[in-house]
Amino acid sequence: MLLIVLELIGLAVFAASGALAAVRARLDLFGVVVLGLTTALGGGILRDVLLGIHPPTSLTTWTYLVVPVGAALGVFGFHPQVAKLRRAVLLADAVGLGLFTVSGTATALNTGVPAYTACLIGMTAGIGGGALRDLLLREIPLVLRREIYALAALAGAVVVVVGTRTGWPAALVAVVGATIVSAVRLVALWRQWNAPVAKGLER
Amino acid sequence: MLLIVLELIGLAVFAASGALAAVRARLDLFGVVVLGLTTALGGGILRDVLLGIHPPTSLTTWTYLVVPVGAALGVFGFHPQVAKLRRAVLLADAVGLGLFTVSGTATALNTGVPAYTACLIGMTAGIGGGALRDLLLREIPLVLRREIYALAALAGAVVVVVGTRTGWPAALVAVVGATIVSAVRLVALWRQWNAPVAKGLER
Amino acid sequence: MLLIVLELIGLAVFAASGALAAVRARLDLFGVVVLGLTTALGGGILRDVLLGIHPPTSLTTWTYLVVPVGAALGVFGFHPQVAKLRRAVLLADAVGLGLFTVSGTATALNTGVPAYTACLIGMTAGIGGGALRDLLLREIPLVLRREIYALAALAGAVVVVVGTRTGWPAALVAVVGATIVSAVRLVALWRQWNAPVAKGLER
C-alpha cells in the first residue's frame, strides 16, 4: 500500500518534470500533457518492451494515466510556482528514480532473467523516462551528464538483486533499494559530486 | 478494398513528408529513402512493438515497402515541385493521420486491451512516424507543437473505441473515425486553431 | 570460434566509437560507458525487439557487456591516442558493421520471416547502434549522411539471404556477407563515394 502511494508520487513527479521542461520549450497544452506522460511512463514502457510484457503495464493501468495527466495539467496552470519549488522537485525526482529503479529490477528478476540483466533493465526503467523527455526536447539526456544519476540507479538495482537472491523479504528489499538510490542521488546533488570528465576536456 | 487503397495513399503521403524533410536537411539519396520509410512505417512499428506483434506487420508486407520507397524516390527527383504542392501535402497528411490512427486503434482493440490503452496505441500509430522523422532530423517533434495534431488523432481513436463497443459495423467505424481525425486536423489548419501555451510564455 | 572473436571485436569497436563521441561531447565517465554500451548493443537490441526475442540476447550474455565496458573505459583513459588511430577505427567500424549486419540477417532468417524482412532487420542491426549514438548526442545520424554506409549493410544482407536460400554453408555465407559489407564501406571511404544529394541542394 505504501509502495503504491510512493509509486504514484513518483509518476506525478516525473510527469511534472516533463511538463515543466515542455512548458519552457513553449509546447502547447497538449504537448505538455504528452511530454508529461512520456516522462512518467517511458521508463516502464521500455522495461516492458525489453522483457516482452505486452502491452506494457503502464498502458493498461488507468491510475498510471490519470495521475501523470493531472500533474502535467497542474504544472501547465501553475508553472511559475512549480519552478520555484526547485528543491522539492529535485527531492521528489530522486524518490521517483529510486522507486522506478527498484520496481523495474524486481519485475525483471520475476521473469527469470540473469542478475546483471535485471540490473540493466532496472536502471533503464529508472532513467528511461527522463532520457526520452530530453530526446524529444532535443537535449543531450541530462541523465548522461548530471551528477551521479544513472550510477545511483545502478547501485540500487544491485542492492535489489543481492537482497532478493539472499532471501530478504520483498518489502525490505524495495525499501532499502529505493532509499539507497534516493540517498546517493541527494548526497551527490548536495555535495555536487560529479563523475570525472576525460583528461584535457575539463571545463 | 477502398480502405487498402486509402492506407497505401497514407503510406505514400507520410513517406513523401519524411523524404521532403530529408531532402531539405541535405541527406543523400539513401538517407532520403530511409527517412521516408521510417516516417511511413514508424507508427505501425511502434504499435506492433507495444502490442507484441512480432515481427511488425509493416516489415512483412511488401506493398508497405514498395509504396513508400517509390514515394521517397519521387520526392528526391521532383522535390521543388512537391514543395509547391503544400496544400495537397497537408491534406494528404491529414488523411494519412486519420487512417493510421483508426487502423492502429482497431488493431489494438482486436488484441483485447482496455479501451483507453487502445486509444493511446492508436494515437501512437498515427503520430509516431512523424515524431520519429523529426527526432532523426534533430527537431522537437512537430506533432507536439503544431495546431491540434495529436488531439485530432485522440478524438478519432475515441470514436473507434466507442463505435466498436456499441456494435457499429467495422467499416462504418473506420470511415467515421478517419473522417473525424482528418476533418478536425484540416479545420484546425484552416482556422489556425492552436492549443493554448502556458501563461507568460505566449509569443 | 573465429566468428565469436570477430563479433567481440565488432562490439569493442562500436563501443569505442560511441565512447569517443561521448568524450568529445564532455559526458562524464558514466555517460561515456553508457554511450559506449548503447552503441555496441543498440543494433542487436533493436533487432531482438523487432523479432520478439525477450529479453534481448545482448542483455543476457555477459561477454557482450564486459567487452564494450572495457573498450569504453580504455577510450576514456586514452582518448587522445585513440583519436589518432583514425584509420584503424574506421577499418574496425567497417568490420563491425559487416559482422552485425550478417548476424542480424541470419538471426532474422532463423525466425522464419520473409527474405526482405530479414534484410531490413539485418540492416537495422548493423546501423542501429550508430544511429542511437548520434540521436543521444543530438546529431542527425551519420549513417543517414555518410558515404555509402547503410547501403553497404543492405548489400551484405541481400547476400546472406540469397546465400542461405540457395543452400550455401552458414559459415561461408557469414564470411562472404561480412566481407562484402566491409569492402563496400572501405572502398567508399577510400574513393569518397557518396550517394547523390537532391538537385539544387549540392554544396
Side-chain angles (χ1 to χ4, degrees):
Chain A
M1 185 59 207
L2 177 66
L3 282 179
I4 293 179
V5 171
L6 284 174
E7 184 139 312
L8 291 178
I9 292 176
L11 285 170
V13 170
F14 271 32
S17 88
L20 201 54
V23 164
R24 285 183 181 146
R26 295 166 176 278
L27 299 197
D28 65 20
L29 175 57
F30 197 76
V32 169
V33 170
V34 169
L35 208 69
L37 264 179
T38 306
T39 310
L41 305 182
I45 291 176
L46 287 177
R47 177 198 69 198
D48 290 352
V49 165
L50 290 174
L51 289 173
I53 299 173
H54 300 297
T57 320
S58 326
L59 296 181
T60 55
T61 315
W62 67 267
T63 42
Y64 280 29
L65 286 174
V66 171
V67 169
V69 168
L73 290 175
V75 167
F76 187 83
F78 303 101
H79 67 93
Q81 291 87 330
V82 175
K84 272 183 210 144
L85 301 171
R86 195 173 159 275
R87 288 182 174 220
V89 168
L90 285 174
L91 171 61
D93 181 82
V95 173
L97 177 67
L99 292 164
F100 288 155
T101 303
V102 165
S103 73
T105 311
T107 306
L109 277 180
N110 281 341
T111 66
V113 299
Y116 59 88
T117 309
C119 287
L120 285 174
I121 290 180
M123 202 175 80
T124 304
I127 71 179
L132 280 176
R133 173 197 65 209
D134 295 344
L135 264 186
L136 286 171
L137 293 178
R138 225 179 37 173
E139 305 278 346
I140 295 182
L142 268 179
V143 296
L144 296 179
R145 288 186 297 152
R146 214 162 18 176
E147 312 89 348
I148 311 290
Y149 194 99
L151 205 56
L154 184 57
V158 169
V159 168
V160 171
V161 167
V162 171
T164 304
R165 288 285 160 90
T166 55
W168 300 5
L172 182 63
V173 168
V175 170
V176 172
T179 306
I180 286 178
V181 177
S182 309
V184 170
R185 172 73 183 128
L186 288 173
V187 171
L189 271 175
W190 173 46
R191 310 289 320 207
Q192 304 205 305
W193 281 348
N194 285 287
V197 168
K199 281 170 298 178
L201 292 174
E202 299 89 351
R203 274 176 235 233
Chain B
M1 185 56 206
L2 177 66
L3 282 180
I4 293 178
V5 171
L6 284 175
E7 185 140 311
L8 291 178
I9 292 176
L11 284 170
V13 170
F14 272 32
S17 87
L20 201 54
V23 163
R24 285 180 181 149
R26 295 166 175 280
L27 299 197
D28 65 20
L29 175 56
F30 197 77
V32 169
V33 170
V34 169
L35 208 70
L37 263 180
T38 305
T39 309
L41 306 182
I45 290 176
L46 286 177
R47 177 198 70 199
D48 289 352
V49 165
L50 290 174
L51 289 172
I53 299 172
H54 301 296
T57 319
S58 325
L59 296 181
T60 54
T61 316
W62 67 268
T63 42
Y64 280 28
L65 286 174
V66 170
V67 169
V69 168
L73 290 176
V75 167
F76 187 84
F78 302 100
H79 68 92
Q81 291 86 331
V82 175
K84 271 184 210 142
L85 302 171
R86 193 173 159 275
R87 288 183 173 221
V89 168
L90 285 174
L91 171 62
D93 182 80
V95 173
L97 177 67
L99 292 165
F100 287 156
T101 303
V102 165
S103 73
T105 310
T107 306
L109 276 179
N110 280 341
T111 66
V113 300
Y116 58 88
T117 309
C119 287
L120 285 174
I121 291 180
M123 202 174 81
T124 304
I127 72 179
L132 280 176
R133 173 197 64 208
D134 294 344
L135 264 186
L136 287 171
L137 293 179
R138 228 179 36 171
E139 305 276 347
I140 295 183
L142 268 179
V143 295
L144 296 179
R145 289 186 296 151
R146 213 162 19 176
E147 311 88 349
I148 311 289
Y149 194 99
L151 206 56
L154 184 57
V158 169
V159 168
V160 170
V161 167
V162 171
T164 305
R165 287 285 158 92
T166 55
W168 299 4
L172 182 64
V173 168
V175 170
V176 172
T179 306
I180 285 178
V181 176
S182 309
V184 170
R185 171 76 184 126
L186 289 173
V187 172
L189 271 176
W190 173 44
R191 311 286 321 204
Q192 303 205 306
W193 281 347
N194 284 287
V197 167
K199 281 171 297 177
L201 293 173
E202 301 88 351
R203 274 177 234 233
Chain C
M1 186 56 207
L2 176 67
L3 281 179
I4 292 179
V5 171
L6 284 175
E7 184 139 312
L8 290 179
I9 292 177
L11 284 171
V13 170
F14 272 31
S17 88
L20 201 55
V23 163
R24 285 181 181 149
R26 295 166 176 278
L27 298 197
D28 65 20
L29 175 57
F30 197 76
V32 169
V33 170
V34 170
L35 209 71
L37 264 180
T38 306
T39 309
L41 306 182
I45 291 176
L46 286 177
R47 176 199 70 197
D48 289 352
V49 164
L50 291 174
L51 289 173
I53 299 173
H54 301 297
T57 319
S58 325
L59 296 181
T60 55
T61 316
W62 68 267
T63 42
Y64 279 28
L65 286 174
V66 170
V67 169
V69 168
L73 290 176
V75 167
F76 187 83
F78 303 100
H79 68 93
Q81 291 86 331
V82 175
K84 271 184 210 144
L85 303 169
R86 194 173 159 275
R87 287 184 173 219
V89 169
L90 285 174
L91 171 61
D93 182 80
V95 174
L97 177 67
L99 292 165
F100 289 154
T101 303
V102 165
S103 72
T105 310
T107 306
L109 276 179
N110 280 342
T111 66
V113 301
Y116 58 88
T117 310
C119 287
L120 285 174
I121 290 180
M123 202 175 79
T124 304
I127 72 179
L132 280 177
R133 174 196 65 208
D134 294 344
L135 265 186
L136 287 172
L137 293 178
R138 228 179 36 173
E139 305 278 347
I140 296 183
L142 268 179
V143 296
L144 297 179
R145 289 185 297 152
R146 212 161 21 175
E147 311 89 348
I148 311 290
Y149 194 99
L151 206 55
L154 183 57
V158 169
V159 169
V160 171
V161 166
V162 170
T164 305
R165 288 286 160 90
T166 55
W168 300 3
L172 182 64
V173 168
V175 170
V176 172
T179 306
I180 285 178
V181 177
S182 309
V184 170
R185 171 75 184 126
L186 288 173
V187 172
L189 272 176
W190 173 46
R191 310 287 321 203
Q192 302 204 307
W193 281 347
N194 285 288
V197 167
K199 281 171 298 179
L201 294 173
E202 300 88 351
R203 275 175 232 231

